[in-house]
Short mmCIF file of all heavy atoms in Angstrom, two decimals:
data_model
loop_
_atom_site.label_atom_id
_atom_site.label_comp_id
_atom_site.label_asym_id
_atom_site.label_seq_id
_atom_site.Cartn_x
_atom_site.Cartn_y
_atom_site.Cartn_z
N PRO A 166 -1.48 6.06 -8.39
CA PRO A 166 -1.63 7.37 -7.79
C PRO A 166 -2.73 7.40 -6.70
O PRO A 166 -2.57 8.10 -5.65
CB PRO A 166 -2.09 8.21 -8.98
CG PRO A 166 -1.47 7.54 -10.16
CD PRO A 166 -1.57 6.09 -9.85
N THR A 167 -3.86 6.68 -6.91
CA THR A 167 -4.92 6.70 -5.92
C THR A 167 -4.52 5.94 -4.69
O THR A 167 -4.77 6.32 -3.56
CB THR A 167 -6.18 6.10 -6.54
OG1 THR A 167 -6.37 6.61 -7.85
CG2 THR A 167 -7.40 6.47 -5.69
N ALA A 168 -3.91 4.73 -4.90
CA ALA A 168 -3.55 3.90 -3.74
C ALA A 168 -2.50 4.59 -2.89
O ALA A 168 -2.57 4.54 -1.62
CB ALA A 168 -3.06 2.57 -4.26
N ILE A 169 -1.47 5.18 -3.49
CA ILE A 169 -0.47 5.83 -2.71
C ILE A 169 -1.05 7.04 -1.95
O ILE A 169 -0.69 7.34 -0.79
CB ILE A 169 0.72 6.34 -3.62
CG1 ILE A 169 1.39 5.12 -4.27
CG2 ILE A 169 1.75 7.11 -2.78
CD1 ILE A 169 2.01 4.15 -3.27
N ARG A 170 -1.96 7.75 -2.57
CA ARG A 170 -2.65 8.86 -1.90
C ARG A 170 -3.43 8.32 -0.72
O ARG A 170 -3.41 8.96 0.37
CB ARG A 170 -3.54 9.61 -2.88
CG ARG A 170 -4.28 10.77 -2.23
CD ARG A 170 -5.32 11.35 -3.16
NE ARG A 170 -6.17 12.33 -2.51
CZ ARG A 170 -5.98 13.64 -2.53
NH1 ARG A 170 -4.95 14.17 -3.20
NH2 ARG A 170 -6.78 14.46 -1.89
N ALA A 171 -4.14 7.22 -0.90
CA ALA A 171 -4.94 6.65 0.20
C ALA A 171 -3.99 6.29 1.39
O ALA A 171 -4.37 6.47 2.54
CB ALA A 171 -5.68 5.39 -0.29
N VAL A 172 -2.82 5.66 1.05
CA VAL A 172 -1.91 5.32 2.12
C VAL A 172 -1.44 6.59 2.87
O VAL A 172 -1.31 6.60 4.04
CB VAL A 172 -0.70 4.53 1.53
CG1 VAL A 172 0.44 4.46 2.53
CG2 VAL A 172 -1.13 3.18 1.12
N ALA A 173 -1.13 7.65 2.07
CA ALA A 173 -0.69 8.89 2.70
C ALA A 173 -1.79 9.48 3.58
O ALA A 173 -1.53 10.15 4.64
CB ALA A 173 -0.30 9.92 1.64
N GLU A 174 -3.02 9.28 3.20
CA GLU A 174 -4.16 9.79 4.03
C GLU A 174 -4.41 8.98 5.29
O GLU A 174 -4.81 9.51 6.28
CB GLU A 174 -5.47 9.75 3.19
CG GLU A 174 -5.51 10.75 2.02
CD GLU A 174 -6.71 10.61 1.15
OE1 GLU A 174 -7.34 9.53 1.14
OE2 GLU A 174 -7.01 11.54 0.39
N TRP A 175 -4.05 7.70 5.24
CA TRP A 175 -4.42 6.79 6.32
C TRP A 175 -3.28 6.27 7.17
O TRP A 175 -3.54 5.64 8.20
CB TRP A 175 -5.14 5.57 5.74
CG TRP A 175 -6.61 5.85 5.58
CD1 TRP A 175 -7.25 6.32 4.46
CD2 TRP A 175 -7.65 5.63 6.49
NE1 TRP A 175 -8.57 6.45 4.65
CE2 TRP A 175 -8.88 6.03 5.92
CE3 TRP A 175 -7.69 5.14 7.83
CZ2 TRP A 175 -10.11 5.94 6.58
CZ3 TRP A 175 -8.86 5.11 8.51
CH2 TRP A 175 -10.09 5.49 7.87
N PHE A 176 -2.03 6.62 6.81
CA PHE A 176 -0.87 6.09 7.62
C PHE A 176 0.12 7.17 7.90
O PHE A 176 0.39 8.05 7.10
CB PHE A 176 -0.19 4.98 6.80
CG PHE A 176 -1.00 3.70 6.78
CD1 PHE A 176 -1.98 3.50 5.78
CD2 PHE A 176 -0.79 2.69 7.72
CE1 PHE A 176 -2.70 2.32 5.80
CE2 PHE A 176 -1.48 1.51 7.66
CZ PHE A 176 -2.49 1.33 6.71
N PRO A 177 0.79 7.12 9.12
CA PRO A 177 1.93 7.96 9.38
C PRO A 177 3.10 7.48 8.56
O PRO A 177 3.12 6.33 8.06
CB PRO A 177 2.15 7.75 10.87
CG PRO A 177 1.63 6.37 11.13
CD PRO A 177 0.41 6.23 10.24
N LYS A 178 4.10 8.34 8.38
CA LYS A 178 5.25 8.01 7.48
C LYS A 178 5.97 6.71 7.88
O LYS A 178 6.40 5.98 7.00
CB LYS A 178 6.22 9.17 7.55
CG LYS A 178 5.72 10.41 6.82
CD LYS A 178 6.78 11.46 6.75
CE LYS A 178 6.27 12.71 5.98
NZ LYS A 178 7.29 13.83 5.92
N LYS A 179 6.04 6.43 9.16
CA LYS A 179 6.79 5.25 9.59
C LYS A 179 6.11 3.94 9.15
O LYS A 179 6.76 2.87 9.15
CB LYS A 179 7.01 5.23 11.12
CG LYS A 179 5.75 5.27 11.93
CD LYS A 179 6.07 5.47 13.39
CE LYS A 179 4.80 5.62 14.19
NZ LYS A 179 5.08 5.96 15.63
N GLU A 180 4.86 3.98 8.78
CA GLU A 180 4.13 2.79 8.35
C GLU A 180 3.81 2.73 6.89
O GLU A 180 3.28 1.75 6.36
CB GLU A 180 2.80 2.62 9.12
CG GLU A 180 2.97 2.24 10.58
CD GLU A 180 1.69 1.95 11.30
OE1 GLU A 180 0.58 2.34 10.72
OE2 GLU A 180 1.69 1.35 12.38
N ARG A 181 4.12 3.78 6.18
CA ARG A 181 3.66 3.87 4.75
C ARG A 181 4.36 2.84 3.83
O ARG A 181 3.72 2.29 2.98
CB ARG A 181 3.89 5.32 4.25
CG ARG A 181 2.94 6.31 4.86
CD ARG A 181 3.16 7.71 4.31
NE ARG A 181 2.37 8.68 5.07
CZ ARG A 181 2.54 9.99 4.97
NH1 ARG A 181 3.41 10.49 4.08
NH2 ARG A 181 1.82 10.83 5.68
N ALA A 182 5.66 2.62 4.03
CA ALA A 182 6.30 1.67 3.16
C ALA A 182 5.80 0.26 3.38
O ALA A 182 5.58 -0.50 2.46
CB ALA A 182 7.84 1.71 3.44
N PHE A 183 5.49 -0.09 4.65
CA PHE A 183 4.94 -1.38 4.95
C PHE A 183 3.55 -1.50 4.34
O PHE A 183 3.19 -2.54 3.73
CB PHE A 183 4.87 -1.59 6.47
CG PHE A 183 4.42 -2.94 6.87
CD1 PHE A 183 4.91 -4.12 6.27
CD2 PHE A 183 3.51 -3.16 7.89
CE1 PHE A 183 4.50 -5.38 6.67
CE2 PHE A 183 3.09 -4.40 8.28
CZ PHE A 183 3.58 -5.51 7.69
N ALA A 184 2.74 -0.48 4.54
CA ALA A 184 1.34 -0.49 3.96
C ALA A 184 1.41 -0.55 2.39
O ALA A 184 0.67 -1.34 1.78
CB ALA A 184 0.56 0.73 4.38
N THR A 185 2.34 0.19 1.85
CA THR A 185 2.50 0.17 0.37
C THR A 185 2.98 -1.23 -0.06
O THR A 185 2.50 -1.72 -1.07
CB THR A 185 3.55 1.22 -0.05
OG1 THR A 185 3.05 2.54 0.32
CG2 THR A 185 3.71 1.19 -1.61
N GLY A 186 3.90 -1.81 0.67
CA GLY A 186 4.37 -3.16 0.36
C GLY A 186 3.28 -4.18 0.38
O GLY A 186 3.21 -5.09 -0.47
N ILE A 187 2.35 -4.05 1.31
CA ILE A 187 1.21 -5.00 1.41
C ILE A 187 0.30 -4.86 0.19
O ILE A 187 -0.02 -5.88 -0.48
CB ILE A 187 0.38 -4.75 2.75
CG1 ILE A 187 1.24 -5.18 3.95
CG2 ILE A 187 -0.91 -5.53 2.69
CD1 ILE A 187 0.60 -4.85 5.27
N PHE A 188 -0.14 -3.64 -0.12
CA PHE A 188 -1.04 -3.54 -1.26
C PHE A 188 -0.33 -3.80 -2.57
O PHE A 188 -0.88 -4.39 -3.51
CB PHE A 188 -1.79 -2.20 -1.24
CG PHE A 188 -1.15 -1.08 -2.02
CD1 PHE A 188 -1.02 -1.02 -3.34
CD2 PHE A 188 -0.64 0.02 -1.27
CE1 PHE A 188 -0.42 0.04 -4.04
CE2 PHE A 188 -0.01 1.06 -1.93
CZ PHE A 188 0.10 1.08 -3.30
N ASN A 189 0.95 -3.45 -2.66
CA ASN A 189 1.75 -3.66 -3.88
C ASN A 189 1.96 -5.19 -4.10
O ASN A 189 2.21 -5.60 -5.24
CB ASN A 189 3.05 -2.93 -3.80
CG ASN A 189 3.78 -2.96 -5.12
OD1 ASN A 189 3.21 -2.59 -6.16
ND2 ASN A 189 5.06 -3.26 -5.09
N SER A 190 1.90 -5.97 -3.03
CA SER A 190 2.05 -7.40 -3.19
C SER A 190 0.87 -8.03 -3.99
O SER A 190 0.98 -9.15 -4.49
CB SER A 190 2.13 -8.11 -1.82
OG SER A 190 0.92 -8.08 -1.08
N GLY A 191 -0.17 -7.23 -4.16
CA GLY A 191 -1.28 -7.69 -5.01
C GLY A 191 -0.85 -7.94 -6.46
O GLY A 191 -1.42 -8.79 -7.16
N THR A 192 0.22 -7.20 -6.86
CA THR A 192 0.72 -7.46 -8.22
C THR A 192 1.31 -8.85 -8.37
O THR A 192 1.19 -9.47 -9.40
CB THR A 192 1.84 -6.42 -8.59
OG1 THR A 192 2.92 -6.57 -7.70
CG2 THR A 192 1.30 -4.97 -8.43
N ASN A 193 1.86 -9.34 -7.29
CA ASN A 193 2.47 -10.65 -7.31
C ASN A 193 1.38 -11.79 -7.15
O ASN A 193 1.49 -12.82 -7.80
CB ASN A 193 3.47 -10.82 -6.18
CG ASN A 193 4.47 -9.66 -6.17
OD1 ASN A 193 5.17 -9.49 -7.21
ND2 ASN A 193 4.47 -8.89 -5.17
N ILE A 194 0.42 -11.51 -6.30
CA ILE A 194 -0.67 -12.48 -6.13
C ILE A 194 -1.37 -12.63 -7.45
O ILE A 194 -1.74 -13.75 -7.92
CB ILE A 194 -1.62 -12.06 -5.04
CG1 ILE A 194 -0.88 -11.94 -3.71
CG2 ILE A 194 -2.79 -13.00 -4.96
CD1 ILE A 194 -0.25 -13.18 -3.23
N ALA A 195 -1.55 -11.55 -8.16
CA ALA A 195 -2.24 -11.59 -9.46
C ALA A 195 -1.43 -12.40 -10.44
O ALA A 195 -1.94 -13.24 -11.18
CB ALA A 195 -2.40 -10.17 -10.02
N ALA A 196 -0.11 -12.17 -10.47
CA ALA A 196 0.75 -12.91 -11.34
C ALA A 196 0.89 -14.36 -10.95
O ALA A 196 1.24 -15.21 -11.81
CB ALA A 196 2.13 -12.25 -11.42
N MET A 197 0.62 -14.65 -9.68
CA MET A 197 0.70 -16.03 -9.21
C MET A 197 -0.51 -16.86 -9.55
O MET A 197 -0.47 -17.98 -10.05
CB MET A 197 0.93 -16.06 -7.67
CG MET A 197 1.16 -17.44 -7.10
SD MET A 197 1.44 -17.38 -5.33
CE MET A 197 -0.16 -16.79 -4.74
N ILE A 198 -1.70 -16.26 -9.28
CA ILE A 198 -2.96 -17.03 -9.55
C ILE A 198 -3.42 -16.80 -11.00
O ILE A 198 -4.20 -17.60 -11.47
CB ILE A 198 -4.05 -16.57 -8.56
CG1 ILE A 198 -4.48 -15.10 -8.74
CG2 ILE A 198 -3.64 -16.83 -7.14
CD1 ILE A 198 -5.61 -14.64 -7.90
N GLY A 199 -2.95 -15.72 -11.60
CA GLY A 199 -3.38 -15.44 -12.95
C GLY A 199 -3.15 -16.54 -13.98
O GLY A 199 -4.05 -16.91 -14.73
#
């Protein structure tokens, strides 16, 4: 909820999915190095 709100505060709609994809990739990096 906080991260998506931050993206909405900091990005226009056309960049939000890309920005969300970048921070959401942290779930995979965690599962990769974890």
Side-chain angles (χ1 to χ4, degrees):
T167 317
I169 298 298
R170 179 187 172 98
V172 168
E174 290 173 344
W175 274 92
F176 287 85
K178 289 184 178 180
K179 59 188 174 185
E180 288 186 345
R181 288 179 190 171
F183 185 45
T185 301
I187 290 174
F188 88 71
N189 191 47
S190 67
T192 63
N193 310 298
I194 299 301
M197 184 178 67
I198 66 176

